[in-house]
Amino acid sequence: MEHLKIASDNYVAFTFFIGTMAMMAASVFFFFEVNSTSEKWRTSVLVSGLITFIAAVHYYYMRGYNLETGDSPTFFRYVDWTLTVPLMCVEFYLITKKAGAKLSLLWKLILASIVMLVTGYLGETVYRGSSVFWGVVSGAAYFYIVYLVWFGEVSKLAQSAGPNVAKATRVLAWFVLVGWAIYPLGYILGTPGGLFGIQLVADPAAAVKSMDIVYNIADAINKIGFGLVIYVLSRSED
Ligand SMILES: *C/C=C(C)/C=C/C=C(C)/C=C/C1=C(C)CCCC1(C)C
């Protein structure tokens, strides 16, 4: 059997490897910290751990897949996101629940995230020729989430849930606005006609590689960083 090595200039494989390690380490941290978390925040910290754990398992798989085939593991990338992004919506629901968040808010967030991801997947795979159209639909669902978190129900509830929840929600809202905006950037880099017909990286193979690197960096920031904000909140007074 051939022994697969990561070439020192293979940045895609390297970021998959580092991503796997980071997600694993973060999961161990969150899971162990659940024990010393006050009852009120225990589920939230547990969900932080579930998000990075689900990502760790996917990254372990994607790392091997990419190393063996040299291809982009698009399908499992989207399976990962379809499980973890709704769990991030659960985090917003959990921290605003005591201020009166209803299940309908959770479903709005989850539904929007599913629309965002399914249309993004269609644009990256089945309908690559019309990636701009699917990217725009996906972007609309994304901006709906941004709206809910910045100005809509989530933000309003967070204001009345105490200063610490309000502060944490503001930081998480920045994650959604800036951290999550990295993904459409990766999509634009990697998809033919990504930016209204303009191909930013001329060589298609290089384009897909740059997309994977961008997605890997974004995942580390958004999953681990997001979880840490929840963790810091769990150590605060309210
Ligand atoms: C842990 C994974 C996260 C937080 C993934 C988030 C993914 C997105 C915000 C993806 C958004 C997209 C668009 C807004 C348009 C183009 C297609 C997507 C799916 C890349």
Side-chain angles (χ1 to χ4, degrees):
M1 206 182 104
E2 201 191 338
H3 186 71
L4 291 166
K5 279 199 295 193
I6 298 181
S8 57
D9 62 347
N10 187 348
Y11 302 111
V12 180
F14 179 69
T15 53
F16 271 119
F17 180 81
I18 290 290
T20 308
M21 285 303 138
M23 297 297 181
M24 280 184 181
S27 309
V28 171
F29 176 76
F30 291 132
F31 286 152
F32 274 84
E33 289 297 309
V34 167
N35 255 324
S36 57
T37 304
S38 70
E39 187 124 27
K40 193 167 71 187
W41 293 116
R42 217 164 269 176
T43 314
S44 304
V45 174
L46 179 65
V47 173
S48 290
L50 289 178
I51 291 168
T52 53
F53 181 71
I54 291 169
V57 176
H58 282 84
Y59 264 80
Y60 182 77
Y61 177 83
M62 293 195 289
R63 176 204 53 82
Y65 177 94
N66 174 260
L67 201 54
E68 280 173 35
T69 65
D71 291 340
S72 179
T74 310
F75 179 72
F76 280 93
R77 168 91 68 199
Y78 274 88
V79 174
D80 174 342
W81 290 353
T82 308
L83 297 169
T84 52
V85 176
L87 281 174
M88 293 177 161
C89 300
V90 170
E91 296 278 39
F92 278 118
Y93 169 72
L94 287 175
I95 65 174
T96 50
K97 204 171 140 196
K98 77 164 190 186
K102 294 200 189 71
L103 268 175
S104 63
L105 171 62
L106 175 61
W107 286 115
K108 269 183 229 168
L109 288 165
I110 290 180
L111 198 69
S113 65
I114 302 284
V115 170
M116 175 181 86
L117 295 171
V118 169
T119 52
Y121 181 74
L122 292 176
E124 264 193 53
T125 56
V126 194
Y127 304 115
R128 271 176 81 80
S130 43
S131 64
V132 177
F133 169 76
W134 294 105
V136 169
V137 177
S138 174
Y142 165 66
F143 280 117
Y144 179 61
I145 299 173
V146 170
Y147 164 78
L148 283 177
V149 171
W150 273 87
F151 313 105
E153 272 173 78
V154 175
S155 123
K156 284 181 192 132
L157 288 164
Q159 309 285 301
S160 56
N164 292 317
V165 171
K167 202 169 119 201
T169 305
R170 216 158 30 242
V171 180
L172 293 178
W174 278 107
F175 270 92
V176 172
L177 183 65
V178 180
W180 289 22
I182 306 172
Y183 297 97
L185 192 72
Y187 182 89
I188 288 165
L189 280 173
T191 330
L195 189 68
F196 304 109
I198 302 162
Q199 187 68 37
L200 294 181
V201 180
D203 170 28
V208 171
K209 284 199 174 89
S210 57
M211 180 183 73
D212 268 322
I213 294 173
V214 169
Y215 283 166
N216 289 351
I217 293 170
D219 275 351
I221 295 171
N222 288 305
K223 292 184 165 62
I224 301 170
F226 199 98
L228 284 173
V229 175
I230 298 288
Y231 175 76
V232 170
L233 176 63
S234 78
R235 264 56 191 164
S236 72
E237 293 305 308
D238 44 88

